[in-house]
Each structure stands twice: as C-alpha cells, then as structure tokens.
C-alpha cells in the first residue's frame, strides 16, 4: 500500500492520479509508480530533464570551441576593419567571426583526433569526459566549416575565400601532425594562429610587418611547447613523443619561457607605432608574470599566458606597413 496526501503520482505521461488517502498497487504489476512531487506530473519531469540536458550540451559545446582564443582570433580582422574602414562595430565583429568559427572548428577537430590521448591524460575536455557524444562533436566539426564557407561565398571575395579555405585545411593538417608527427605540431599550431592576420589582409588592403609576424610565430611556438610540458605524462602514456618528451620537462620549460620573453621584447623593439609598442610592453610584463606562475602552477601559468598573447595579437593587428 502506498500512502500520500494531495501528492501527484504518475504511471505514464497521460495518467495523473491524486491520492487523498491511499492507493493499492497490485503485486507483480508491470507498471512502475514514480513520485514526482506535489502538483507535478511525469511530463514535467521529462521536460526538466530535457532542459538540463540541453543546457549541459550547450555548456560543453562552448567549452569545446575554446571561447577565449576564438574571440581573440575574431577580434584581429574586426580591429583591422574598424580602424581603417570606419565600418560599423557590429559589421566588423560579424566579419571577424568568420575566422573565429574557423578557429573553433580547428579546436573541435583536434579534440576528436586527441580523444584517446586526452582520456589517458585525464584531461577535462568535454568529449574526453563523455559530456559530449562523439557523434555530436563530429556533427559540429562538419557543420562549422560548411557554415563558414557558405557565408564567405555570400559576403566575401575570392581572396578571402582562399584564406578561409587555407585556414580550415591548416586546422586539419595540424590535427594530423599532432598525432603522427608531434615534433612539428608546435610550429604548425603557430602558423595556424597567424591565419587571422592573413584573413584580415584579404578583406582589407592592410599588410603586416613581417618581422613582427615572425616574433608572434616564435611566441606561439614556445607557448605550445609549454602546453606539451603540461601534457607530457599523458602524451607518453599514449605513445606520443613531443619535443618536451625528448628534451625533458625542465629543459623544455626554460627554453620555452626564454623564447616567449625574447620574442615579446623583439616585437616591442621592432614594431612601429606608439599604441602597438605600448601593448607589447604590457605583454612583456604579462609574459614575465605567466612565466613565474608556470613554474609553480603550470595550469594557471598557461591561462595567464593568454593575456600577453592577446595583447600581442591586438598590437600586431595595428602594426601595419
């Protein structure tokens, strides 16, 4: 016998039973009685579960596309357009979002390629923690480039379409290198990070100072080495031997942090313009702070290194020839 007082009990989504006193359930009945609380039925229960699932999928998807570096990539062409063509801010952000979506697609593809390694390393990637199903992530990896290419065909030029297509291909190549030729993946990642500048050049008439681009390439390559230092135990368990695995984590850390600081100082010395020089000067301070933090807390130090990376990207976006 089940007792209740003005509570809702549900056998199926279409049946609502109000218990004023008691309800007898036949022994061995295939029905399962589910208590869902006062004034609520089973349909409301499943609606709530569906809503929570959708929120979880949305949150995991946002984490997968890495919103911070994606936003930085989108800002570079947006800054170029807004500063030199006096376009509306929303139009500039909308155009810059193209390369941002390309960056997000590269992260999604890389997470799929690194799934086994990330699971062994215990990384908190949504796909590695089974917060996103592989089918859903694969669908996202297909949908993003389709949306980007179709949109570029409607709003862009042949030059910008070529830049977008090359950046998408670069994301696929990087994921392949990270799995099969890990020694070269850092340089490939750095080259891919320069795609927003080439896209900005394709939608404007701007050209960037090549020596400052070279300094940015050095900085990103060294930062990728720091990521390898943090991932080294998981990489070795997965049979992946990166440069940090060959050099050792201590040597790789000192080499990477030294190159990061040297490249920031080099960029500040070579860049033209007071605003880019100020941004890179602040980037030097941010690089030193992130270096000191990395030696004690690697994960936190890597997060902090995004600050000088963003400052350098904004400085380079304004350092035109």
């Amino acid at each position: 016998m089940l007792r209740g007082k003005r509570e809702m009990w549900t056998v199926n989504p279409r049946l609502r039973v109000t218990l004023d006193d008691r309800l007898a359930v036949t022994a061995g009945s295939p029905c399962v009685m589910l208590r869902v609380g006062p004034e609520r039925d089973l349909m409301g229960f499943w609606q709530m579960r569906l809503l929570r699932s959708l929120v979880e999928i949305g949150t995991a998807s946002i984490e997968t596309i890495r919103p911070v570096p994606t936003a930085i990539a989108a800002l570079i062409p947006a800054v170029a357009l807004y500063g030199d063509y006096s376009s509306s801010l929303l139009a500039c952000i909308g155009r810059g979002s193209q390369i941002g979506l390309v960056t997000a697609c590269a992260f999604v593809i890389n997470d799929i390629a690194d799934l086994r390694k990330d699971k062994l390393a215990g990384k908190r990637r949504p796909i590695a923690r089974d917060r996103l199903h592989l089918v859903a992530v694969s669908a996202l990896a297909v949908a993003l480039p389709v949306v980007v290419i179709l949109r570029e065909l409607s709003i862009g030029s042949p030059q910008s379409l070529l830049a977008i297509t090359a950046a998408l291909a670069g994301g696929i190549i990087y994921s392949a290198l990270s799995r099969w030729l890990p020694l070269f993946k850092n340089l490939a990642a750095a080259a891919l990070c320069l795609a927003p500048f080439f896209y900005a050049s394709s939608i404007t008439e701007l050209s960037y100072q090549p020596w400052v681009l070279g300094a940015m390439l050095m900085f990103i390559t060294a930062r990728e080495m720091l990521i390898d230092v943090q991932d080294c135990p998981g990489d070795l368990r997965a049979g992946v031997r990166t440069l940090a695995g060959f050099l050792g984590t201590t040597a790789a850390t000192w080499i990477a942090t030294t190159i990061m600081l040297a490249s920031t100082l080099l960029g500040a010395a070579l860049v033209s313009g007071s605003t880019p020089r100020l941004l890179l000067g602040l980037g030097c301070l941010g690089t030193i702070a992130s270096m000191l933090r990395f030696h004690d807390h690697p994960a936190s130090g890597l997060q902090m290194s995004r600050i000088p990376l963003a400052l350098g990207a904004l400085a380079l976006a304004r350092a035109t020839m």
Side-chain angles (χ1 to χ4, degrees):
M1 304 291 291
L2 300 178
R3 298 175 180 272
K5 187 175 182 181
R6 301 304 302 173
E7 292 179 336
M8 302 303 300
W9 294 70
T10 303
V11 178
N12 59 56
R14 296 184 178 181
L15 178 62
R16 295 166 58 121
V17 181
T18 302
L19 296 181
D20 290 324
D21 184 17
R22 60 181 61 184
L23 175 68
V25 180
T26 304
S29 172
C31 298
V32 177
M33 301 299 294
L34 176 64
R35 183 176 181 177
V36 294
E39 304 302 326
R40 292 180 62 186
D41 59 9
L42 188 60
M43 185 62 72
F45 170 76
W46 285 111
Q47 288 174 348
M48 183 60 66
R49 285 200 61 178
L50 177 61
L51 179 60
R52 289 177 178 174
S53 298
L54 291 175
V55 170
E56 173 62 22
I57 291 173
T59 303
S61 299
I62 292 174
E63 292 179 18
T64 301
I65 66 173
R66 319 290 202 281
V68 173
T70 296
I72 293 174
L75 276 176
I76 293 169
V79 168
L81 276 174
Y82 188 72
D84 290 88
Y85 287 82
S86 300
S87 302
S88 68
L89 180 61
L90 289 179
C92 294
I93 294 175
R95 195 64 188 274
S97 66
Q98 283 288 90
I99 201 67
L101 291 176
V102 171
T103 305
C105 180
F107 283 125
V108 173
I109 294 173
N110 187 62
D111 280 359
I112 295 173
D114 290 348
L115 177 58
R116 176 176 172 271
K117 184 182 73 172
D118 290 345
K119 281 181 175 290
L120 289 173
K123 280 198 168 184
R124 302 184 64 85
R125 304 275 188 246
I127 184 175
R129 291 297 183 95
D130 296 322
R131 292 173 56 198
L132 275 180
H133 196 277
L134 181 60
V135 174
V137 181
S138 301
L140 186 62
V142 173
L144 284 174
V146 170
V147 170
V148 169
I149 290 177
L150 290 178
R151 187 163 177 248
E152 196 63 35
L153 283 171
S154 64
I155 66 174
S157 62
Q159 292 81 9
S160 63
L161 180 62
L162 178 62
I164 284 289
T165 306
L168 287 170
I172 298 173
I173 293 171
Y174 166 73
S175 296
L177 287 175
S178 67
R179 184 171 183 178
W180 304 111
L181 294 172
L183 287 178
F184 300 97
K185 77 180 188 69
N186 294 345
L187 187 59
L192 186 61
C193 289
L194 296 183
F197 299 101
F198 294 108
Y199 180 69
S201 296
S202 70
I203 62 176
T204 64
E205 297 178 357
L206 301 177
S207 59
Y208 295 95
Q209 300 174 9
W211 46 86
V212 184
L213 282 174
M216 177 67 76
L217 189 72
M218 291 170 55
F219 182 93
I220 299 173
T221 302
R223 185 178 182 274
E224 288 293 319
M225 191 186 297
L226 284 185
I227 296 176
D228 289 344
V229 169
Q230 190 181 22
D231 295 345
C232 194
D235 289 340
L236 293 177
R237 282 196 295 269
V240 177
R241 200 168 180 84
T242 60
L243 191 59
F246 278 102
L247 297 175
T249 55
T250 302
T253 299
W254 282 106
I255 292 173
T257 52
T258 302
I259 293 176
M260 286 173 63
L261 182 58
S263 61
T264 310
L265 292 171
L266 180 64
L270 296 177
V271 74
S272 61
S274 57
T275 300
R277 190 171 288 114
L278 174 62
L279 290 172
L280 284 175
L282 295 174
C284 290
L285 298 178
T287 301
I288 294 172
S290 63
M291 287 166 50
L292 295 175
R293 185 66 174 173
F294 184 86
H295 286 281
D296 295 326
H297 303 280
S300 178
L302 275 178
Q303 294 292 331
M304 288 181 62
S305 67
R306 290 179 176 177
I307 297 174
L309 178 61
L311 291 172
L314 291 176
L316 186 52
R318 302 303 305 150
T320 56
M321 294 182 65

